[in-house]
């Protein structure tokens, strides 16, 4: 369980209002599993992870944020290894995906504005 953050800046610096993730009334959920084995005296690790968050934006616009992730560390020799990670997700601005934005509005947030979750891929 995690704090359900969306990456949005607060409206003012003087008062703290709940953001869309906190307004949903439930935490974000994350899980990671990995497998490790020793190769050349160094760890060979393969991992996979998942993330889910329910977000309640203005005017009852609900968005499901999610991410699927994988990571690896592969030893090539006794002193050199190749490491990396990859993710694919939607509405994960609070985790740094989508350059810190979780959703985009078609205009000023109002009852008629369209809300689009931001898709992101990276590693």
């Amino acid at each position: 369980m995690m704090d359900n953050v969306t990456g949005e800046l607060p409206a003012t610096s003087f008062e703290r209002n709940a953001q869309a993730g906190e307004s949903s009334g439930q935490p974000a959920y994350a899980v990671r599993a990995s497998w490790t084995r020793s190769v050349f005296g160094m760890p060979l690790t393969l991992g996979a992870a998942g993330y889910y968050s329910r977000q309640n934006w203005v005017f009852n616009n609900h968005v499901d944020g999610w991410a699927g992730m994988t990571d690896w560390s592969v030893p090539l020799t006794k002193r050199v290894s190749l490491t990396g990670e990859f993710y694919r997700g939607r509405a994960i601005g609070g985790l740094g995906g989508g350059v810190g934005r979780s959703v985009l509005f078609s205009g000023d947030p109002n009852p008629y504005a369209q809300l689009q979750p931001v898709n992101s891929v990276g590693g």
Side-chain angles (χ1 to χ4, degrees):
M1 289 194 199
M2 301 172 59
D3 187 12
N4 195 347
V5 296
T6 58
E8 306 303 312
L9 296 173
T12 70
S13 59
F14 297 107
E15 58 186 58
R16 173 75 167 86
N17 295 326
Q19 293 181 338
E22 297 160 327
S23 295
S24 72
Q26 72 179 39
Y29 306 97
V31 63
R32 181 180 184 272
S34 66
W35 174 81
T36 301
R37 181 176 183 176
S38 182
V39 176
F40 303 121
M42 295 173 60
L44 164 69
T45 303
L46 303 173
Y51 171 83
Y52 172 79
S53 72
R54 179 79 169 162
Q55 302 170 10
N56 183 15
W57 291 86
V58 295
F59 307 110
N60 270 341
N61 286 306
H62 298 283
V63 171
D64 291 325
W66 60 268
M69 299 153 275
T70 185
D71 61 274
W72 58 89
S73 178
V74 179
L76 300 176
T77 68
K78 197 168 195 161
R79 295 183 184 205
V80 177
S81 64
L82 175 67
T83 62
E85 59 190 45
F86 176 79
Y87 75 90
R88 163 80 172 90
R90 182 175 100 169
I92 55 173
L95 300 177
V99 193
R101 301 293 300 186
S102 289
V103 298
L104 295 175
F105 288 93
S106 62
D108 290 333
N110 63 59
Y112 307 105
Q114 295 284 327
L115 178 102
Q116 182 64 41
V118 175
N119 289 310
S120 57
V121 176

